Amino acid sequence: MISDLKGTFSNISNNIKRSAIREILKLTQNPEVISFAGGLPAPESFPVDNLDEIISTMLKEEGAEVLQYDATEGVTELRELLLKRYQNEGVQCELDNMIVTTGSQQGLDLVGKVFVNQGDVVICGLPSYLGGISAFQAYGAKMEGVPMDENGMSAELLEAKLIALAEQGIKPKFIYIIPDFQNPTGITMPESRRLEIIALAHKYDVLIVEDCPYREVRFEGEPQRMMYDLDNDDHVLTLGTFSKTFAPGLRIGWILGPKEVNDKIVIAKQSSDLCTPTFVQKMAIRYMKSEHFESNLKKTIDLYHQRRDVMLAEMEKCMPEGVNWTHPEGGMFLFITLPEHMDALELFHKAIEKKVAFVTGNVFYCDGGGTNTMRLNFSYVNNEKAIAGIQRLAQIIEAEMKVCNEELVKNN
């Protein structure tokens, strides 16, 4: 071992932190633990039989071609199929606007790589997706949070943040937003708020990075137009993925953005992996062109709708007064807010003892806030386990509330 290994590591590697969620998941490996912690799709939603047939046919018909390198931008036919789905919604986009990535997490990493220098400011919601925050911080981003209300990031507080930064001579690199079924809150931003934020992006000449991993998993309410669609001035870059609508293990994502931006991203991707695996792209093409994609997506949406309803109903029955939660119209998560004086991290360790797990909300706050919040996943656990898990969690919260209230009385 060399004498100064720590000094040999790069600044970027020293900026990278372990994923708090992945560390939590290590504690949930016990099969007796009912885990609401992971952002995991339901295994029942994976089209195993369909893919078995597709792969066999694909290898017979295309042979070595599916095992070869392909363009960094992605297999052209897959890009065209993805574009067609957007174009069917009325989105104006062309082939040069579409890049296939190795999962949307790579997309986030490439955005950081292309835009962020050490010390640059990136704006995100309070709270926001941990994977996005981590990807940008790895390149030295200073994250500035803007509080959210029931409609997502506050436009009023966003403008106040932009003004305050401008007074310091700081122009943010971009605003990071998850407008549909936001991770971790499950909140969907209405079109009116999207338009307000786009107007601010134009006014202050700032890019918006729109992360849309859950958008197609809607089971209630009206679909909202993408920010990319609402914008008309190349101020929005959108990330998508098959991880929630097809299968996460395929690692297929994409970036929809201005050609000038995509040119830079392609170059950055070439130094990462040359191209997203051709095999999985070719498989995705056949799956999208079959009748299975839409029918399986509908089954997945129905399954998640049912599981969300079961969890919400049990929470209504069991949760003590003073505990609040979101009511997502789709996606995979809901967010619980405890009384302000409670600490979700303290609760987490007690919950693990009782064999139930969640993610503490503070990991989603770039400013260290949210200590009285928690994220629950409703897509993975079946109904029977979900009911038992919510009952355990409610009992733990109620017991902790009594302890906290007694301490408050004693201290007063």
Side-chain angles (χ1 to χ4, degrees):
M1 183 67 70
I2 67 169
S3 59
D4 184 23
L5 185 59
K6 186 175 180 181
T8 306
F9 290 133
S10 69
N11 290 336
I12 287 178
S13 74
N14 288 326
N15 286 339
I16 298 171
K17 299 174 183 175
R18 289 183 183 272
S19 167
I21 295 174
R22 298 298 160 196
E23 294 303 304
I24 285 171
L25 290 178
K26 290 179 184 178
L27 301 175
T28 68
Q29 296 304 305
N30 183 340
E32 294 181 5
V33 174
I34 298 173
S35 178
F36 302 123
L40 302 176
E44 302 95 312
S45 71
F46 302 156
V48 176
D49 292 340
N50 300 148
L51 294 183
D52 183 31
E53 180 183 341
I54 284 171
I55 291 168
S56 177
T57 305
M58 181 177 74
L59 287 170
K60 287 176 184 175
E61 295 180 354
E62 298 185 69
E65 184 184 341
V66 303
L67 303 174
Q68 187 56 276
Y69 289 115
D70 209 290
T72 304
E73 292 88 339
V75 175
T76 299
E77 188 176 5
L78 178 58
R79 294 161 68 205
E80 289 172 342
L81 287 169
L82 292 168
L83 286 169
K84 187 176 180 182
R85 290 181 71 82
Y86 286 123
Q87 290 163 351
N88 287 342
E89 295 182 31
V91 180
Q92 300 298 310
C93 49
E94 300 175 355
L95 196 61
D96 285 342
N97 300 126
M98 174 65 67
I99 300 170
V100 176
T101 60
T102 308
S104 62
Q105 189 64 38
Q106 185 189 53
L108 291 167
D109 181 74
L110 291 171
V111 167
K113 193 174 188 178
V114 165
F115 287 108
V116 177
N117 294 313
Q118 185 73 36
D120 282 345
V121 167
V122 170
I123 294 175
C124 66
L126 288 175
S128 198
Y129 173 50
L130 176 61
I133 294 172
S134 299
F136 309 142
Q137 286 180 332
Y139 291 97
K142 180 187 177 191
M143 304 301 297
E144 290 280 351
V146 173
M148 295 170 56
D149 58 25
E150 67 277 6
N151 291 321
M153 183 184 287
S154 166
E156 182 181 349
L157 295 177
L158 172 60
E159 181 158 34
K161 175 71 70 175
L162 289 166
I163 290 170
L165 290 169
E167 288 173 349
Q168 300 172 56
I170 298 171
K171 179 181 175 181
K173 281 300 178 78
F174 54 84
I175 304 163
Y176 175 59
I177 295 177
I178 310 159
D180 297 284
F181 324 125
Q182 196 247 13
N183 184 354
T185 65
I187 290 171
T188 294
M189 183 180 287
E191 185 172 313
S192 57
R193 179 66 59 83
R194 298 177 194 223
L195 288 168
E196 287 180 306
I197 290 177
I198 289 168
L200 291 174
H202 290 181
K203 181 177 178 180
Y204 294 92
D205 196 30
V206 179
L207 184 72
I208 293 171
V209 174
E210 176 187 30
D211 197 359
C212 293
Y214 317 102
R215 185 169 179 272
E216 292 190 271
V217 190
R218 172 178 285 278
F219 39 74
E220 187 179 285
E222 291 297 317
Q224 303 296 303
R225 289 172 65 192
M226 293 164 54
M227 299 181 84
Y228 184 96
D229 186 24
L230 294 168
D231 177 51
N232 58 7
D233 196 27
D234 285 348
H235 274 67
V236 180
L237 185 74
T238 297
L239 280 69
T241 181
F242 275 143
S243 290
K244 313 303 183 289
T245 59
F246 188 176
L250 297 178
R251 308 311 303 136
I252 297 179
W254 55 88
I255 295 174
L256 189 66
K259 182 181 183 303
E260 293 77 11
V261 173
N262 283 359
D263 286 345
K264 282 284 189 184
I265 289 174
V266 166
I267 296 168
K269 181 172 166 59
Q270 286 171 345
S271 67
S272 296
D273 65 359
L274 299 180
C275 67
T276 298
T278 308
F279 187 90
V280 294
Q281 292 187 70
K282 292 278 191 175
M283 184 168 56
I285 289 167
R286 287 176 177 259
Y287 184 65
M288 289 183 76
K289 291 171 73 174
S290 74
E291 74 277 8
H292 302 306
F293 184 89
E294 295 298 342
S295 62
N296 195 63
L297 178 56
K298 184 181 183 306
K299 288 178 187 175
T300 301
I301 290 169
D302 291 344
L303 176 64
Y304 292 2
H305 190 177
Q306 180 197 60
R307 289 186 173 182
R308 183 214 60 174
D309 286 352
V310 166
M311 186 176 287
L312 288 177
E314 198 61 30
M315 289 170 71
E316 287 287 350
K317 283 184 195 174
C318 300
M319 285 295 172
E321 188 175 345
V323 178
N324 298 299
W325 54 87
T326 55
H327 189 290
E329 296 178 342
M332 297 165 55
F333 305 107
L334 58 84
F335 205 58
I336 291 180
T337 303
L338 305 167
E340 285 188 12
H341 59 277
M342 292 186 68
D343 186 341
L345 187 57
E346 290 278 335
L347 209 62
F348 172 79
H349 295 294
K350 294 177 181 179
I352 289 293
E353 290 177 7
K354 299 293 184 181
K355 295 185 171 53
V356 62
F358 56 85
V359 178
T360 56
N362 66 297
V363 302
F364 303 101
Y365 282 77
C366 67
D367 66 350
T371 54
N372 64 322
T373 62
M374 60 177 73
R375 188 193 76 177
L376 303 187
N377 166 271
F378 56 78
S379 61
Y380 183 70
V381 176
N382 66 35
N383 293 341
E384 183 182 356
K385 286 186 175 181
I387 290 169
I390 292 299
Q391 289 173 353
R392 292 181 199 176
L393 190 57
Q395 291 169 2
I396 296 161
I397 291 172
E398 188 168 17
E400 188 69 9
M401 286 176 75
K402 288 179 182 177
V403 171
C404 291
N405 289 336
E406 288 172 2
E407 288 180 357
L408 282 173
V409 170
K410 194 182 295 183
N411 292 333
N412 289 334

